[in-house]
Amino acid sequence: MVASTHWLASATGMSVLERGGNAFDAAVAAGFVLQIAEPHLNGPGGEVPILLWSEAEQKVSVVCGQGVAPAAATIERFTELGLDIVPGTGLLAATVPGAFGGWMLMLERWGTWRLADVLAPAIHYAEHGIPVLERIAATIESVEGLFNTDWPTSAATWLPGGRVPAPGSKLANPVLAATYRRLVAEAESAASSREGQLAAARTAWYEGFVAEAIAEFSAKTAWRDSSGEVHGGLLTGDDLARWSASVEEPLTFDYRGHTVCKTGPWGQGPVFLQQLALLDGFDLDAMGYLSADYVHTVTEAAKLAFADREAWYGDAHVTLSDAPESGTMSDAESGTLSDVPESGTMSDLLSAAYNAERRRLVGVEASLDLRPGAPGGRAPRLPAFPAPGTASSAPGISGAGAPQGVGEPTVARDGTVRGDTCHVDVVDRWGNMVSATPSGGWLQSSPTIPELGFCLGTRAQMFWLQEGLPASLRPGTRPRTTLSPSFALRDGRPWLAFGTPGGDQQDQWSVNFFLAVVHGRLNLQEAIDAPMFHSEHFPSSFFPRGSRPGVLHAEDRLDPDVVAELRRRGHEVELQGSWTLGRLSAVARDGAFLKAAANPRGAQGYAVGR
């Protein structure tokens, strides 16, 4: 079974399974096709976190394909530039592009196919073109002026013939196809074995011709970004050479016979677990699925969990092997921050005692405050957020004259789902399973590197330019991202791989889906199709970092009586279109059957199996 956010990726993954590949081979091939099929949602310059079940190893593992901040990326450097928030576009916000390393690590350790075979579908689509989705055309149209005025290399790539490609037309990227062809050629000339070729491809990417082009572009060009000013980049060849993808243990929480697995607090994944820990003390079955009590309780639990995300989540470890050449790292930059969640802090955040105390904060009325807790007696510290509201401006950022920040275009105020990220889930005949959420390096995030056919990502916008916070900018650390694939075991056996795009909504929509299956007794497709809702109460992870306290988005298929009751309780409910929120997909092992489901919203996601 394969389910993803685009039919071409799902079909590609299924073709790999039908030709003898395993789930890991299929996920990698599908992941590279997503870069071509959804270039407004992810690209080669982005990142990918992956959760997987290896039937041979009988365990869940996390593959971290999230790159780190450059050695020169310090708070002091941004202060010198007159910035106190990282721009949402342009070269300053680039981290090491980790997606390639993440995919290659999974392919080498658990896969069976060669580099040329998994890249062949992506090369084909890049060379011959993909059908232009309405959302691709709309995204390119929204930045057409920026491309023509300030980013000519992007205009050359994404405005064929000088025009926005029409929906339904073909859009090719022959330069990217050539990049991947050269990667395969160099790998095959360097080694004859599968493993040797994968190692050679990583070297070409992080130390060879790809790294050289990235470093030169970052050092020798400067572009207007969402600050309204022209800036060069900070990423160097040394930054790329020092970094490598890694394999980690997942964080887990047991809920009603299910063990849910997520990434560590360098992503927002643990917020899913914290919501479950809070909800474990409520009788959601007695409330009734999608009743006013149910929606209110789930929303208030999300507010508390995400408040802890703001106060406690971040990357505890520097992963660059050397200090910046420009000087010596401070103590805060060179080691482990005591207030970044290690296993002890996460244990406190998920403990029964902590959540019993926090659960008492869920009242009958909607909360309008951001209320982080004090795990283990530690006092929380929140960043200095922009004032609540629509956050049309932020400190250190130019106003109306600045190019539009297109950091991660999640959900528009009118409820239109613009997209932001991709997702793919796979389960094979042997029982191996993958859940991956590739993102970043969107066509609209940064100017295209003309020699490579792709642009750098902008994930550094998730760092805070304030000292002493878990998510403060420090060289060699991962930004606290929103990317959040999910995996669950049932009664100790592998059961469900699932996830969604959606930025800050990922671990709300995914929780809603999971609860719909567990408490609503819905099947996978019914749970995805059910009316979706999410809160905008807490600060956004993306430029310009605003919040909308008390705002609750819901599809207008939600019962009108429920909506009226939620409003009576103080929720500022904003109804959206009937099929606009969420882009979930899932695959499952259920007894003697394999199952899959995909999102009907946008007529783009696709589930396939045999």
Side-chain angles (χ1 to χ4, degrees), residues 185-493:
E186 290 198 7
E188 291 181 340
S189 66
S192 58
S193 69
R194 189 184 81 93
E195 292 74 16
Q197 290 174 4
L198 295 176
R202 278 197 301 268
T203 298
W205 191 274
Y206 291 103
E207 300 178 49
F209 78 96
V210 175
E212 291 168 0
I214 290 173
E216 183 174 9
F217 190 78
S218 184
K220 295 184 178 181
T221 65
W223 310 86
R224 194 172 306 280
D225 57 36
S226 53
S227 72
E229 302 297 328
V230 173
H231 296 115
L234 303 175
L235 196 61
T236 69
D238 285 342
D239 294 322
L240 274 77
R242 293 186 192 127
W243 182 84
S244 61
S246 59
V247 178
E248 304 176 2
E249 295 295 317
L251 285 177
T252 64
F253 185 80
D254 293 333
Y255 182 84
R256 312 294 173 89
H258 306 82
T259 301
V260 179
C261 307
K262 302 292 287 188
T263 71
W266 51 267
Q268 75 173 15
V271 81
F272 189 121
L273 309 182
Q274 285 198 251
Q275 289 172 84
L276 294 185
L278 287 162
L279 293 171
D280 205 22
F282 293 100
D283 193 345
L284 295 183
D285 291 326
M287 294 178 190
Y289 177 62
L290 290 185
S291 68
D293 281 342
Y294 178 100
V295 176
H296 170 78
T297 302
V298 171
T299 299
E300 292 302 299
K303 292 178 183 178
L304 292 172
F306 276 86
D308 277 347
R309 181 194 74 169
E310 298 307 318
W312 296 109
Y313 290 18
D315 186 12
H317 299 287
V318 173
T319 53
L320 293 178
S321 59
D322 300 312
E325 295 180 2
S326 58
T328 303
M329 282 185 175
S330 67
D331 290 341
E333 293 170 336
S334 63
T336 300
L337 282 180
S338 60
D339 54 356
V340 176
E342 296 287 353
S343 58
T345 306
M346 287 311 308
S347 295
D348 289 335
L349 288 170
L350 295 173
S351 68
Y354 178 76
N355 284 281
E357 177 184 353
R358 297 280 282 163
R359 203 173 291 123
R360 289 195 289 268
L361 296 176
V362 177
V364 295
E365 302 291 328
S367 169
L368 299 180
D369 299 317
L370 192 67
R371 300 177 292 177
R378 307 171 187 85
R381 183 182 175 191
L382 290 170
F385 300 114
T390 58
S392 58
S393 62
I397 299 297
S398 300
Q404 179 172 353
V406 285
E408 177 148 321
T410 51
V411 181
R413 295 303 176 211
D414 64 0
T416 303
V417 180
R418 295 176 178 168
D420 54 86
T421 295
C422 306
H423 188 79
V424 58
D425 302 297
V426 185
V427 57
D428 66 24
R429 72 195 75 178
W430 301 286
N432 301 302
M433 301 178 75
V434 176
S435 173
T437 309
S439 184
W442 316 290
L443 68 87
Q444 68 274 23
S445 66
S446 188
T448 299
I449 303 171
E451 298 90 347
L452 299 177
F454 66 84
C455 61
L456 295 174
T458 54
R459 199 59 63 174
Q461 67 184 286
M462 295 179 160
F463 286 114
W464 288 103
L465 299 182
Q466 302 165 37
E467 297 283 1
L469 301 171
S472 294
L473 175 63
R474 293 177 294 134
T477 57
R478 294 167 288 190
R480 195 277 301 146
T481 77
T482 56
L483 305 179
S484 196
S486 302
F487 194 91
L489 297 88
R490 185 166 61 188
D491 299 322
R493 295 296 301 153

Side-chain angles (χ1 to χ4, degrees), residues 65-80:
Q66 173 59 59
V68 299
T74 63
I75 292 174
E76 292 76 16
R77 182 65 178 271
F78 279 85
T79 300
E80 291 170 359

